[in-house]
Amino acid sequence: MPQEPSRRERGLDLRNIDLLRFIRPYKTRLVAGIGATISHSLVTVFFFKLFKDFLDTMIDSIATSRHSLRPLTLISLTLVGMFLFKGIAYYGQRYLTTYVAQRTMKDLREALYRHLQSMSMEFFDKNKVGQIMSRTVNDVAILEGAIVSGAINVFYNLITLVVGMGYLLYLNPKLTVLILAVFPSIVYVYRKYSRRIRGMSRRIQESVADINDVLHEGLVGIRIVKSFVREDYEFNRFVRENEANFAAHRKNAQLTATLSPMVELLASLGFTLVLWFGGYEVIRGTMTPGELIAFFTLALMIINPLKALSGLSHTVQNALAAADRIVDLLNQRPAITEIANPKELPSDTPGRVELRNVSFGYHPGELVLRDINLEIEPGETVALVGPSGAGKSTLADLIPRFYEVTSGEILVDGHDIKTLSLASLRQAIAVVPQETVLFAGSIYDNILYGNLGADREEVVAAAQAANAHGFISALEHGYDTIIGEKGVGLSGGQRQRIAIARALLKNPRILILDEATSALDTQSEALVQEALENLMRDRTTLVIAHRLSTIVEADKIVVLDRGQIVEVGTHQELLAKGGFYHRLYEGQWQEQ
Ligand code: ATP
């Protein structure tokens, strides 16, 4: 996906505000959580006031030789009450803020997935799956981490810092000013480092996406990797990406590890000064010992929020970069959209397909299909043949509107497909691709995918028509057999027959079939062929044909070459013509 470092460099991008809409539904809880956070901070600082009173009362008692325990008991009881209240406030703060953060992230993940589903095929051509996944999974996780442990802590620490400073000012303005004098140097160091940390965080994110890509490719293509004995080659690619990731982490660790001690060192310089001047004030009698000890311990406590705030730059910068990428993704619009008030294609539509002067290119100025005119009557089977790269798959992809024609129009039963709702158009079409895709789950669920409203009888009937019932029943768990990610444990032919059963259950008017090129054994081939015949019966079928038997039996053969239809006719007609098809036949199918 395009990276724009200049914008990332700026850090806070106003478009990130878009993400606030995800928090809006939970604003009551958020406000309550903020209230609890403020109460918690106030009570934390109040402790120091009680501590000071306790010390002064004690020192006063010693000095005046009055031995009444009453004030001490009172202060101690207040302390117990205070800790009780603090505990409740802490619970409210943690529970409510985490609730809001996690619910927001849940909604965001769902919105992202929904958004991804709505994107056109063009988007999935341009962006690698690894990168898209890294965005939906990692970036949301980064944001989640930053909000749960980051934003909530930032807020708590900020409040504690402000309230604490307020009390320090009240206790002794002079000493507080002394502490504040150290602040500019801290801010300077912080700003200098955080810019470099931001750049490094970006590099880490990118390297994680690269690792995902290499891993994804190497595992999805493991069969190819093994057959070429390229394990070492793939491993070395992985090692390279891993090393880049480690180098970025190492540099990042150096930067963040320097930042915290620097801030701490500067801060401790301030405290040494406080101790010296404070001691001097107590000796002079302008400050009580209780005040100095409370001042000093509170100031020491405030260094924690300060340190946490400076250490958080890393998380915050990461989160900003992640938020940026998420907003980028959410702002991308699908290339293919419906018109306002689209027509619904009825489910019993006859299924006549017509392409009128259709041209198409994946990239502007590079036409892959040129001036295609094609009519497929309801129930007719058209075989699409042509050399590799001729544009057969592209043509097939245009009918369910996976891509938009560059010019011309495609009509289904007289309706321009651009005027139809995408769901009703695609509901009328079943696509059986070359590569069978089965989802993790049971065989039953995989067939049911074709029509979620079907009952068991219909599923079994579809499996029977697809020649799959026999082998499914022979399995130990029958239809409830769980198949792995890519249908592990089933033969190629069995997988194809499950995919055919799924398409049969969908019962579409139009069928787009990309015949598998990989040869099955004769028996399996016959079973698949018969299943396909059952599937094609009475449906308008466009088949990207690889088998001679399919081509010979087709009502019409359309020969495509370099994006253009060069010949149309039946097998006999085209052979007799002795043209392109004849040459293709001689080269490819004669031996079949
Ligand atoms: P094959 O029989 O090898 O599958 P085909 O006839 O189905 O080939 P297509 O896959 O439609 O041919 O490809 C036609 C042309 O379009 C080729 O030049 C190919 O490189 C290009 N092409 C295919 N898919 C894309 C894509 N997603 N993005 C860009 N170009 C593409």
Side-chain angles (χ1 to χ4, degrees):
M1 295 185 193
Q3 297 284 332
E4 294 168 40
S6 57
R7 188 155 51 73
R8 306 264 190 282
E9 289 295 340
R10 290 210 305 272
L12 184 65
D13 186 327
L14 278 185
R15 292 174 329 140
N16 290 343
I17 304 295
D18 284 4
L19 293 179
L20 286 184
R21 77 185 146 97
F22 286 94
I23 300 180
R24 216 160 285 142
Y26 311 111
K27 57 175 183 293
T28 317
R29 282 189 175 83
L30 184 66
V31 169
I34 292 173
T37 308
I38 295 174
S39 311
H40 187 228
S41 300
L42 283 173
V43 175
T44 306
V45 174
F46 181 64
F47 165 79
F48 290 91
K49 181 192 161 358
L50 285 182
F51 185 48
K52 173 192 83 72
D53 291 348
F54 188 88
L55 286 173
D56 282 342
T57 310
M58 216 166 54
I59 292 165
D60 197 45
S61 299
I62 297 168
T64 56
S65 301
R66 271 192 281 116
H67 298 295
S68 161
L69 279 181
R70 207 165 167 270
L72 284 189
T73 315
L74 261 178
I75 295 172
S76 302
L77 285 177
T78 317
L79 264 173
V80 173
M82 188 211 81
F83 275 112
L84 191 69
F85 183 76
K86 193 177 168 191
I88 295 168
Y90 179 82
Y91 177 83
Q93 178 213 348
R94 280 284 131 181
Y95 176 75
L96 289 168
T97 47
T98 310
Y99 180 96
V100 174
Q102 294 294 355
R103 276 300 288 261
T104 309
M105 289 303 119
K106 172 183 173 292
D107 293 352
L108 180 60
R109 264 194 296 269
E110 287 167 6
L112 267 173
Y113 187 44
R114 254 278 175 251
H115 183 69
L116 282 173
Q117 285 185 322
S118 78
M119 294 309 285
S120 311
M121 294 311 291
E122 196 190 315
F123 171 85
F124 295 97
D125 290 340
K126 270 195 227 140
N127 303 296
K128 287 188 184 167
V129 172
Q131 296 236 354
I132 301 173
M133 290 200 14
S134 130
R135 273 193 197 192
T136 30
V137 181
N138 295 356
D139 285 347
V140 175
I142 291 168
L143 208 57
E144 180 180 318
I147 291 177
V148 175
S149 66
I152 296 173
N153 281 340
V154 170
F155 185 70
Y156 172 73
N157 287 323
L158 261 179
I159 301 262
T160 312
L161 197 66
V162 170
V163 176
M165 276 293 176
Y167 188 56
L168 287 184
L169 262 176
Y170 167 79
L171 275 179
N172 192 321
K174 261 194 285 177
L175 282 186
T176 313
V177 167
L178 213 59
I179 291 184
L180 285 175
V182 192
F183 261 49
S185 47
I186 297 178
V187 171
Y188 172 77
V189 173
Y190 172 77
R191 285 177 65 103
K192 186 166 169 280
Y193 272 84
S194 62
R195 173 168 299 184
R196 294 175 63 189
I197 290 172
R198 195 158 63 211
M200 208 44 68
S201 314
R202 196 174 60 239
R203 205 181 298 167
I204 290 176
Q205 292 321 311
E206 285 164 4
S207 72
V208 168
D210 290 341
I211 289 181
N212 275 352
D213 278 346
V214 174
L215 196 61
H216 188 258
E217 275 179 25
L219 293 182
V220 167
I222 189 75
R223 179 181 294 272
I224 304 292
V225 174
K226 282 186 188 291
S227 65
F228 281 92
V229 200
R230 286 289 175 268
E231 284 92 342
D232 289 347
Y233 176 83
E234 289 297 330
F235 183 69
N236 288 338
R237 271 178 64 194
F238 186 70
V239 167
R240 268 200 302 280
E241 297 304 343
N242 230 358
E243 265 167 9
N245 174 270
F246 172 69
H249 268 296
R250 198 173 59 92
K251 187 79 202 152
N252 201 38
Q254 273 176 353
L255 290 171
T256 41
T258 325
L259 183 59
S260 271
M262 290 266 257
V263 171
E264 201 172 328
L265 193 74
L266 288 168
S268 55
L269 212 70
F271 288 120
T272 315
L273 276 172
V274 167
L275 214 52
W276 195 88
F277 275 110
Y280 177 63
E281 297 240 307
V282 172
I283 292 170
R284 280 200 329 166
T286 46
M287 200 177 184
T288 68
E291 274 171 354
L292 177 64
I293 295 173
F295 189 99
F296 189 71
T297 41
L298 176 58
L300 264 183
M301 197 213 73
I302 282 177
I303 199 174
N304 277 332
L306 236 172
K307 249 171 63 184
L309 286 176
S310 67
L312 265 166
S313 92
H314 171 71
T315 328
V316 172
Q317 298 311 331
N318 262 349
L320 285 178
D324 232 19
R325 287 190 297 264
I326 290 172
V327 172
D328 256 359
L329 187 56
L330 285 174
N331 282 343
Q332 286 192 43
R333 300 268 66 93
I336 291 173
T337 48
E338 291 177 347
I339 57 162
N341 306 316
K343 280 182 280 190
E344 294 293 321
L345 194 64
S347 58
D348 57 352
T349 196
R352 183 177 188 279
V353 178
E354 185 180 350
L355 280 79
R356 275 192 205 153
N357 308 321
V358 168
S359 294
F360 172 79
Y362 289 99
H363 308 293
E366 288 173 38
L367 288 184
V368 170
L369 291 174
R370 258 164 294 153
D371 208 22
I372 303 285
N373 284 290
L374 177 62
E375 288 168 28
I376 316 176
E377 296 304 327
E380 208 177 42
T381 296
V382 167
L384 209 53
V385 299
S388 179
K392 305 182 292 292
S393 311
T394 307
L395 196 158
D397 277 348
L398 292 180
I399 298 169
R401 237 184 129 200
F402 287 155
Y403 297 91
E404 199 82 290
V405 293
T406 308
S407 64
E409 53 190 2
I410 298 178
L411 307 166
V412 170
D413 294 324
H415 306 288
D416 183 337
I417 57 170
K418 285 183 189 167
T419 64
L420 295 171
S421 81
L422 283 172
S424 77
L425 171 69
R426 291 174 185 167
Q427 198 58 46
I429 303 172
V431 178
V432 179
Q434 223 179 71
E435 177 80 9
T436 308
V437 178
L438 298 180
F439 295 103
S442 67
I443 291 183
Y444 184 84
D445 286 342
N446 265 286
I447 299 177
L448 193 71
Y449 205 82
N451 175 8
L452 297 178
D455 58 27
R456 198 156 185 109
E457 269 172 31
E458 289 168 309
V459 169
V460 172
Q464 276 165 341
N467 273 341
H469 182 70
F471 88 81
I472 297 173
S473 308
L475 293 169
E476 193 189 339
H477 300 290
Y479 281 85
D480 299 324
T481 305
I482 302 291
I483 43 184
E485 197 192 352
K486 285 177 79 198
V488 181
L490 295 177
S491 77
Q494 289 170 333
R495 286 158 45 91
Q496 281 179 29
R497 280 178 278 154
I498 291 180
I500 293 169
R502 179 165 66 189
L504 270 163
L505 196 65
K506 186 175 183 187
N507 193 20
R509 293 308 313 138
I510 301 164
L511 179 67
I512 293 171
L513 184 63
D514 194 349
E515 264 187 343
T517 41
S518 52
L520 302 169
D521 62 64
T522 328
Q523 197 196 353
S524 186
E525 179 78 46
L527 288 170
V528 169
Q529 199 57 40
E530 198 178 78
L532 282 175
E533 278 161 22
N534 287 339
L535 177 62
M536 286 153 78
R537 190 167 303 133
D538 301 327
R539 295 181 216 282
T540 309
T541 306
L542 179 71
V543 49
I544 301 174
H546 298 292
R547 293 193 187 92
L548 185 61
S549 59
T550 317
I551 300 168
V552 173
E553 279 165 30
D555 297 304
K556 194 155 73 182
I557 300 166
V558 172
V559 188
L560 212 58
D561 184 35
R562 278 171 284 175
Q564 282 179 307
I565 294 181
V566 288
E567 282 171 2
V568 180
T570 62
H571 178 65
Q572 294 307 335
E573 286 166 5
L574 293 178
L575 272 192
K577 207 171 161 190
F580 193 88
Y581 179 78
H582 189 251
R583 289 199 295 282
L584 208 61
Y585 171 75
E586 297 210 310
Q588 284 188 28
W589 298 300
Q590 210 168 23
E591 62 275 16
Q592 278 189 26

